[in-house]
Amino acid sequence: MAACFILSIALGLTFFTQVSGSGVFELKVQEFLNENRLLANGNSCKPDCRTFFRVCLKHYQSVVLPGDCIFGSVVTPVLGSNSFQVIDADSSSSPIRMSFDFRWPGSFSLIIESWYAAFADLPVDTTNPDLLISFFAIQRNLAVGEEWSQAEQTGKETKLRYSYRVICNEKYYGESCSKKCTPRNDLFGHYICDTDGQLSCLPGWKGEYCEEPICLEGCSKSNGNCSSPGECVCRAGWQGQFCDECVRHPGCKHGTCQLSWQCNCEEGWGGLFCDQDLNYCTHHRPCLNGATCMNTGQGSYTCTCRPGYSGVNCELEVSECDSSPCRNGGSCTDLENGYKCTCPQGFEGSHCEHSSLTCADSPCFNHGICSEKDHGRSYICSCPRGFTGLNCEKKEDKCTSNPCANGGQCVDLGHSRNCRCRPGFTGQRCEININECASKPCSNGGTCIDNINDYKCRCAPGYSGRNCEIKTRDECASNTCSNGGTCQSSTYGSSFYCKCPIGFTGSRCEFYTVSVPDSRDQTFPWVAISLAVGLVALLMLLCIIVVVLRHIRRQRDLEEQDSETMNNLSNFQKDNLIPASQLKNTNKKVDLEVDCEVEKSNYKHKNYHLDYNLVKDFKDDMSQEDKCHNCDKLCPEEKIPLRMHSEKPECRISTICSPRDSMYQSVFVIAEERNECVIATEV
């Protein structure tokens, strides 16, 4: 019972949640007439009928009865005395409002009671029936709307004219005020609500909840997007107002592109960045002094100099000073028949090889330390860090040796140097080429090609895009499989195959086959089932073995019991009865009736009739004492094989009780020395 009650509450809450709404029932009292100043009980108001109303709104009833105001109730202040009218311009003309938070059912019952406020300074009382002036009740069907419905009711002494309507609260719409719509302009939507409560997108937005911006008209759908209306934000590799212009590979100088990150060289240019002039000699004429220029490809050239000139561009005239014969900073002057060294201050000699200064002259600059040599005739300066030269007069340039590889720019920082690498290279000397393919950016089987400062994906057939993320073709869209087969696109999207159900084969599963599918292709757990079946079979075999062993053991016990009983019987016959040679059958019919009663089970053996001619006369004279009254004393446990009885002095009857209940009794006729007859019966 409790479970049913909880379930009912849960269903009710679910239904209320689904159909919840919000609205207001409004009522305006326009005119009330009580000309005789009478109450409902016939008494008159003293001095005047100061009138207020109690309004009760409830569910539709064919016969409106007092009771709980399910939809709501309102008690008004005193609106007038006796007969009065409520003018719209009056401050008291505000409608009586009863809010509800459920789905408007479309029908209602309304009770309007007018009451007499006997005291001006006390709260109004709606519990005293002697103060009731009139009682009006209606039931109507009413749709949600702005228009007022007019009503007029007449009682015995009073008349009431009023109007009413049902309207939805803000954010609620529909015929039953059950559709809620809240305008919003934020991350989750940009819309307003129309008169039916439907979403109406703000300008520049679209989508189910107006959350998708409308991009600039003409913006490429594949190369651009937007996060606000009227935008066109280009994806990587595209540019222009409508994102329809490709971006060339970084560093591309004399090249164009059709797709993003391309560098297709113009005529006469080559190399990865199209920066190698394939006809450098014609375009630049680098060789001087009448030298001959030859293009060697990829922007390089060779100058063949005329006699007397040298250098890369044959810009140097060959002279004796080319060997730098002047030492210690001396300058060489080429003469017509030799050269001349102009020595700096403090040096002398034809090659400026002798110093004329000593440490006493403080020849070392920039805080260099002077040390004498050649017994004081010369000196040597130990320069501080950052300076060089014979007298430490030169500031050391750490970029002189051009330590930066791969076109890196060397920056001298004073105490150190730094290499500013070109895009695509890194390392202290720009010696490491950055491998953009290390992150495996190409998807869907694409092959990554590492460039100097970027990478390029060679896409498999059926895919495109910078990272091969765009599938250009779906083979399964135009190909179907027969007999319930499932179409699967290949890895590269250029072909398809059908995954056929069991019993079908072929490229489209159109052929029926009875061959047993390979167990490796089956998802059914045959190994587990085989192990389970084997285990069940083993358990059944063990049960059968146990049952057989128990049966064999029981049979062996019975055989041992029978054998013991027969041995006892044989011994008794041998020792206590007579030899077999003395048994005699006269072939005369005798009926012998033996009745054994078993007291514990109240069971009686049937009468067994034996035909022997010799014992015919003993049937009528057998007494009650001769019967086996206590066969339980002759049970197999006590092993008593015989019971003796004799009707006459000369005859004895011997009865042998079987160890089990038997349908037959063995009767033996025993003859003694005096020709007396003895009957032995085996029970």
Side-chain angles (χ1 to χ4, degrees), residues 578-644:
I578 59 173
S581 61
Q582 296 181 5
L583 294 176
K584 182 179 181 181
N585 189 349
T586 61
N587 199 22
K588 293 182 180 181
K589 186 176 182 180
V590 176
D591 293 332
L592 179 61
E593 182 178 6
V594 180
D595 187 1
C596 295
E597 295 181 358
V598 182
E599 296 178 356
K600 295 181 181 180
S601 61
N602 294 324
Y603 177 83
K604 293 184 179 183
H605 292 280
K606 294 181 180 180
N607 295 329
Y608 301 97
H609 302 278
L610 302 176
D611 293 335
Y612 294 96
N613 294 330
L614 183 62
V615 295
K616 178 178 181 182
D617 297 333
F618 298 134
K619 176 180 180 182
D620 298 332
D621 298 328
M622 289 180 65
S623 61
Q624 188 67 23
E625 291 126 356
D626 298 327
K627 296 181 180 179
C628 295
H629 294 286
N630 298 316
C631 289
D632 53 346
K633 297 180 179 180
L634 302 178
C635 60
E637 297 176 356
E638 299 179 12
K639 298 297 184 293
I640 301 175
L642 295 176
R643 181 173 180 176
M644 305 301 296

Side-chain angles (χ1 to χ4, degrees), residues 5 95 156 188 211 403 474 505 601 614 637 678 681:
F5 178 73
K156 183 177 180 181
F188 301 99
E211 75 282 2
D474 186 7
T505 186
S601 61
L614 183 62
E637 297 176 356
V678 178
T681 302

Side-chain angles (χ1 to χ4, degrees), residues 560-577 635-642 656-657 659:
E560 290 177 358
Q561 189 175 6
D562 292 342
S563 176
E564 183 178 356
T565 302
M566 294 304 295
N567 290 335
N568 294 335
L569 177 60
S570 177
N571 295 332
F572 183 85
Q573 290 176 354
K574 181 177 179 181
D575 299 334
N576 300 323
L577 293 177
C635 60
E637 297 176 356
E638 299 179 12
K639 298 297 184 293
I640 301 175
L642 295 176
I656 303 173
C657 294

Side-chain angles (χ1 to χ4, degrees), residues 33 61 99 113 193 219 249 254 289 322 326 333 335 347 434 471 477 520 526 529 559 597 650 659 670 675 680 683:
L33 299 178
Q61 293 177 320
S99 300
E113 300 172 350
C193 303
C219 182
H249 192 286
H254 301 279
N289 297 313
D322 292 341
C326 302
T333 303
L335 301 178
F347 293 94
I434 299 175
K471 189 172 184 180
R520 294 173 297 177
W526 294 110
I529 291 181
E559 290 177 358
E597 295 181 358
E650 64 275 7
I670 306 172
N675 294 326
V683 180

Side-chain angles (χ1 to χ4, degrees), residues 14-238:
T14 303
F15 178 78
F16 183 80
T17 302
Q18 293 176 349
V19 301
S20 62
S22 181
V24 179
F25 181 89
E26 295 184 342
L27 183 142
K28 284 184 178 181
V29 176
Q30 297 172 336
E31 184 180 15
F32 181 73
L33 299 178
N34 186 8
E35 297 177 352
N36 296 327
R37 303 179 182 181
L38 295 179
L39 299 174
N41 56 10
N43 297 330
S44 61
C45 303
K46 295 179 181 181
D48 294 323
C49 290
R50 302 176 65 255
T51 307
F52 68 93
F53 296 91
R54 176 181 177 269
V55 182
C56 176
L57 185 66
K58 59 195 306 184
H59 61 283
Y60 184 88
Q61 293 177 320
S62 57
V63 177
V64 181
L65 299 175
D68 294 337
C69 303
I70 300 176
F71 292 176
S73 64
V74 174
V75 177
T76 69
V78 175
L79 300 181
S81 297
N82 302 328
S83 300
F84 58 88
Q85 290 183 346
V86 179
I87 303 174
D88 289 344
D90 190 1
S91 60
S92 61
S93 64
S94 299
I96 301 170
R97 297 171 59 89
M98 285 177 283
S99 300
F100 56 88
D101 56 356
F102 52 85
R103 181 188 182 118
W104 178 249
S107 60
F108 68 96
S109 296
L110 181 66
I111 299 175
I112 304 176
E113 300 172 350
S114 59
W115 291 82
Y116 167 49
F119 303 98
D121 56 346
L122 295 178
V124 294
D125 184 8
T126 59
T127 60
N128 188 356
D130 293 335
L131 300 179
L132 179 66
I133 299 175
S134 62
F135 177 90
F136 300 105
I138 62 171
Q139 64 274 70
R140 296 286 189 274
N141 292 324
L142 181 62
V144 176
E146 296 289 337
E147 295 184 1
W148 292 88
S149 298
Q150 304 295 328
E152 182 176 318
Q153 288 185 274
T154 303
K156 183 177 180 181
E157 297 291 340
T158 59
K159 180 179 179 181
L160 176 65
R161 185 166 57 86
Y162 59 95
S163 59
Y164 57 89
R165 69 178 180 179
V166 173
I167 59 175
C168 296
N169 277 342
E170 185 181 3
K171 301 180 183 179
Y172 287 88
Y173 303 86
E175 297 179 354
S176 57
C177 298
S178 60
K179 182 181 295 184
K180 184 176 182 180
C181 179
T182 304
R184 66 190 314 159
N185 186 13
D186 53 24
L187 182 63
F188 301 99
H190 308 270
Y191 56 84
I192 59 176
C193 303
D194 59 16
T195 56
D196 295 330
Q198 301 295 330
L199 303 185
S200 178
C201 295
L202 296 175
W205 297 93
K206 63 180 180 178
E208 182 179 1
Y209 297 100
C210 307
E211 75 282 2
E212 301 178 19
I214 300 176
C215 299
L216 178 67
E217 185 177 0
C219 182
S220 175
K221 294 182 179 180
S222 59
N223 304 327
N225 54 26
C226 60
S227 57
S228 299
E231 287 184 345
C232 187
V233 180
C234 298
R235 302 184 189 276
W238 297 92

Side-chain angles (χ1 to χ4, degrees), residues 238-540:
W238 297 92
Q239 61 186 353
Q241 182 181 4
F242 304 109
C243 302
D244 52 357
E245 301 175 10
C246 60
V247 176
R248 297 182 301 173
H249 192 286
C252 184
K253 291 185 177 181
H254 301 279
T256 59
C257 67
Q258 295 178 346
L259 298 176
S260 58
W261 316 119
Q262 285 184 340
C263 187
N264 301 325
C265 296
E266 297 174 356
E267 184 178 0
W269 297 91
L272 184 61
F273 303 106
C274 299
D275 55 350
Q276 298 175 1
D277 194 346
L278 302 181
N279 193 6
Y280 196 89
C281 292
T282 303
H283 291 163
H284 300 280
R285 300 182 181 275
C287 300
L288 304 176
N289 297 313
T292 303
C293 181
M294 294 183 61
N295 292 312
T296 57
Q298 298 184 357
S300 60
Y301 62 93
T302 299
C303 292
T304 304
C305 300
R306 294 175 57 192
Y309 294 92
S310 65
V312 177
N313 296 325
C314 301
E315 74 280 7
L316 300 177
E317 184 178 0
V318 177
S319 65
E320 286 80 359
C321 290
D322 292 341
S323 60
S324 300
C326 302
R327 300 169 60 185
N328 296 313
S331 60
C332 180
T333 303
D334 187 20
L335 301 178
E336 190 172 337
N337 293 320
Y339 61 91
K340 179 182 178 182
C341 290
T342 303
C343 300
Q345 185 178 359
F347 293 94
E348 60 185 3
S350 59
H351 297 93
C352 304
E353 70 275 16
H354 300 298
S355 175
S356 59
L357 300 177
T358 63
C359 287
D361 299 321
S362 300
C364 299
F365 298 98
N366 298 310
H367 305 288
I369 299 175
C370 181
S371 300
E372 294 182 353
K373 68 176 185 177
D374 296 335
H375 304 287
R377 291 181 299 174
S378 182
Y379 67 93
I380 184 172
C381 291
S382 298
C383 301
R385 186 175 181 180
F387 295 92
T388 186
L390 181 63
N391 298 320
C392 303
E393 74 280 6
K394 297 180 181 179
K395 187 176 181 180
E396 184 180 9
D397 186 3
K398 294 181 173 55
C399 292
T400 303
S401 60
N402 194 18
C404 302
N406 297 310
Q409 181 181 358
C410 181
V411 179
D412 188 358
L413 301 178
H415 297 290
S416 63
R417 65 188 176 196
N418 189 17
C419 289
R420 186 177 298 165
C421 302
R422 291 172 55 197
F425 296 93
T426 186
Q428 187 175 3
R429 298 180 57 255
C430 303
E431 73 279 7
I432 301 174
N433 180 15
I434 299 175
N435 184 12
E436 285 80 8
C437 290
S439 61
K440 299 181 179 179
C442 303
S443 58
N444 296 311
T447 303
C448 182
I449 301 175
D450 182 33
N451 296 329
I452 296 299
N453 188 31
D454 202 357
Y455 66 91
K456 182 178 180 181
C457 290
R458 183 178 297 164
C459 300
Y463 292 90
S464 64
R466 171 171 171 78
N467 296 324
C468 305
E469 72 279 6
I470 303 174
K471 189 172 184 180
T472 58
R473 182 175 55 196
D474 186 7
E475 294 294 336
C476 285
S478 58
N479 296 280
T480 57
C481 303
S482 304
N483 298 313
T486 304
C487 181
Q488 302 286 338
S489 296
S490 65
T491 304
Y492 302 107
S494 60
S495 63
F496 73 98
Y497 69 94
C498 289
K499 188 175 182 181
C500 301
I502 298 175
F504 295 90
T505 186
S507 61
R508 298 179 182 270
C509 305
E510 67 274 20
F511 300 116
Y512 176 77
T513 177
V514 296
S515 60
V516 179
D518 190 355
S519 60
R520 294 173 297 177
D521 298 332
Q522 303 300 319
T523 59
F524 197 81
W526 294 110
V527 175
I529 291 181
S530 300
L531 291 175
V533 171
L535 182 59
V536 172
L538 180 59
L539 292 176
M540 292 179 64

